[in-house]
Amino acid sequence: MTDFPVEKIRADFPILQEKIRNKPLVYLDNAASCQKPQQVIDSIVHLYSHEYANVHRGVHTLSVKATDRYEGAREKVQQFINAQSTKEIIFVRGATEAINLIAQTFAKENIKAGDEILITAMEHHSNIVPWQMLCEQTGAVLKVAPINLQGELIYAEFENLLTDKTKLVSVVHMSNALGTVNPVEKIIAAAKAKKIPVLLDGAQAIPHMSVDVQALGCDFYVFSGHKLYAPSGIGVLYGKQALLEAMPPYQGGGDMIRKVTFEETEYNSLPYKFEAGTPNIADVVGLGAAIDYLNTIGMERIAAYEAELLDYATEKAKQIQGLRIIGEAGAKGAILSFVLDKIHPHDIGTMLDSLGIAIRAGHHCAMPVMDFFEVPATARASFAMYNTKEEVDILMAGIADLIEIFG
Amino acid sequence: MFDDLRDLYQEVIFDHNRNPRNFHVMEAADRKVEGFNPLCGDRLTLFLKMDGDKIIDASFQGSGCAISTASVSLMTEIVKGKTEAEAEALFTQFHEMTTGKEEEINLEAIGKLAVLAGVREYPARVKCATLAWHTLDAALKNEQDSISTE
């Protein structure tokens, strides 16, 4: 842990210098959204100050510069997740929009009444509701593979639910409510054996581990920028080129067309077919800057550091009487969800806030997970590469004190 | 520790959270309404026994945070013996106090409920305090379905 440059990283995040209720900020709500380094903030300021115009349209110098920056960011994303081509990188608003896009194009085209879509019991609402909407439209059926009390997918049950009726598997790579990292290699192999396409919801996984979509072999991978130290309002849909080529467009408008007459319209090639209208240019550039920043550190190192941090936090949490960890999967990312005896998570959240500690208290957009563990909500501390053991100590001391106060 | 929170978490609130008053099912209730705050999962069932337009008994069941539990516990105590109109007037005053619309708190009218005034500094927690009263409002209007603060 000593060789990880956490202090240097912290210095790059201006918000970490903020005081909250007169205490130094301890930001542990990274699974909801993480903070942005100066390099990302500067990239946006620089674009708007020196290089901004609309993309893909103008012959003038600024438009060419802006297009270079925008398409340059696409290359960075392609390399970051090791996609085969930039044609496979579609910019969207976030993971939620990406899943809705796939549901309303690929899935709507290929799924009919009686077909099944298979998800898991630990999905975020964004990987449940778009499929329920699709099922309502098509008469398809949503199947849910169960989890055990550790918060792990019961793989045998998942395999049993994988049948000839299954037309799409859509699973979370890492759970936002539990921290569980799913055995996606096994899941993909089992689905491939039956020629079933697989979508991975990578919103939570992407900032915590190195992701290689070709090695994984998934058909779709989606994530949001704001959890990857990039701006909010920008996300990525990765899809295998052949699948994207065959899919109908999602929205119609400018940029996604090659030729328009009142009689017919010819759609543009990939990736532009799925990017109707003026895109979120500045935030795409910000996403590119975030990836540059992460590359200077290295995802493997970040993963190793965060694993140590989580182990440390878990060990400390287990020493607190009356604290129950929700989600104890063997393979887990840097998320510590917990409940305290007779103290509601919202009281925990408010009390810790008064100490400058930001955690999430609630259902984490995963109400079915809360129902499964029979809790109304949990408190969740979620870590990022800029968090420290000292911050874990502050959190644990705060929890111990609030337990005493509630007595 | 937690010095800043003394206005919000007063001893009375801890007391009502640990030992909620009127915390039981009322078999012979005239009104029974469920209140739910989907944001935090607070859930309560409110029971009222009426005599004409007078509330002669009130009780509740459910689970929630300290603020919501103390609020509903205090409410069931204070509305006993009140007419519907008096209870509704209290709701209005309580709402104004917790949302900070009324700078001066009318202590005479609001009584013990004043311990919940601290939530006005915590906008994220106002709904915890008002869930009980929204549920009472629905019960008085004889809306039998469950209500939600969202």
Side-chain angles (χ1 to χ4, degrees), chain A residues 346-347 350 363 401 405-406, chain B residues 1 9 14 18 38 40 66 125:
Chain A
H346 264 210
D347 294 319
T350 299
H363 53 63
D401 283 340
I405 275 207
F406 263 79
Chain B
M1 279 272 180
Y9 289 95
F14 282 127
R18 278 184 213 116
C40 48
R125 304 302 301 275

Side-chain angles (χ1 to χ4, degrees), chain A residues 139-202:
Chain A
V141 181
L142 187 62
K143 291 283 181 180
V144 184
I147 56 177
N148 63 25
L149 283 170
Q150 278 71 53
E152 294 167 319
L153 175 68
I154 304 173
Y155 184 74
E157 300 263 6
F158 171 84
E159 245 185 347
N160 287 340
L161 286 167
L162 208 56
T163 69
D164 293 342
K165 285 185 176 172
T166 315
K167 292 294 180 283
L168 181 70
V169 169
S170 186
V171 299
V172 70
H173 193 173
M174 172 177 155
S175 156
N176 74 307
L178 303 167
T180 309
V181 177
N182 269 319
V184 289
E185 291 83 0
K186 251 162 81 178
I187 288 171
I188 292 165
K192 291 284 120 171
K194 291 186 180 317
K195 297 196 163 52
I196 302 163
V198 178
L199 158 60
L200 291 185
D201 169 4

Side-chain angles (χ1 to χ4, degrees), chain A residues 365-376:
Chain A
C365 296
M367 284 185 180
V369 175
M370 302 298 112
D371 291 342
F372 176 76
F373 285 98
E374 295 179 337
V375 292

